[in-house]
């Protein structure tokens, strides 16, 4: 057929992509060095915001579900259903906060 073996083709593609990979890593490193206003405390604060934005809706869901289960027993567990809903809402909330944090960076790039 005249086609090169798959292993050789994969290796050639990797060699061709190597400079682009290195350039991307260098660009990210230089960008991180340029953002000196973001200290370790900023990272810890963002970690806390994301953690609490998931934990609070989850705990509220568990408490509300437990209260409903105690008041009106049924064959369905409201605690588990509201736990799941709380986790989903918490993850959406965390995603929102991360999007708000990265919005200025996207404006700079775009």
């Amino acid at each position: 057929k005249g086609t090169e073996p798959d292993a050789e083709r994969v290796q050639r593609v990797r060699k061709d992509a190597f400079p682009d990979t290195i350039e991307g890593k260098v660009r990210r490193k230089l960008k991180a060095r340029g953002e000196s206003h973001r200290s370790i405390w900023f990272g810890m604060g963002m970690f806390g915001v994301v953690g609490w934005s998931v934990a609070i809706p989850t705990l509220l869901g568990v408490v509300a579900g437990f209260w409903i289960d105690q008041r009106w027993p049924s064959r369905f567990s409201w605690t588990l259903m509201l736990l799941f809903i709380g986790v989903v809402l918490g993850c959406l909330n965390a995603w929102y906060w991360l999007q708000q944090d990265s919005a200025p960076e996207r404006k700079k790039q775009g």
Side-chain angles (χ1 to χ4, degrees):
K1 286 183 173 181
T3 61
E4 58 186 318
D6 287 339
E8 290 177 14
R9 186 175 22 185
V10 167
Q11 190 173 7
R12 186 171 44 80
V13 168
R14 284 183 183 162
K15 283 182 183 177
D16 292 344
F18 184 70
D20 294 333
T21 303
I22 296 298
E23 181 182 352
K25 288 183 178 185
V26 167
R27 195 176 313 124
R28 282 192 302 272
K29 191 171 205 169
L30 290 173
K31 180 182 171 196
R33 284 185 183 167
E35 293 179 350
S36 60
H37 68 279
R38 292 193 171 186
S39 67
I40 185 75
W41 297 113
F42 177 83
M44 295 298 283
M46 184 55 67
F47 183 74
V49 165
V50 169
W52 282 111
S53 66
V54 174
I56 289 174
T58 303
L59 291 174
L60 289 175
V62 168
V63 169
F66 184 74
W67 183 78
I68 292 171
D69 283 340
Q70 293 297 313
R71 298 283 176 173
W72 300 286
S74 70
R75 63 185 197 138
F76 301 109
S77 172
W78 282 97
T79 304
L80 290 177
M81 286 189 284
L82 292 179
L83 167 71
F84 178 74
I85 291 170
V87 169
V88 169
L89 289 176
C91 290
L92 290 172
N93 193 16
W95 177 78
Y96 170 78
W97 281 107
L98 290 175
Q99 291 297 318
Q100 292 298 315
D101 179 55
S102 65
E105 294 171 10
R106 283 182 282 155
K107 286 183 182 178
K108 287 180 191 176
Q109 292 174 356

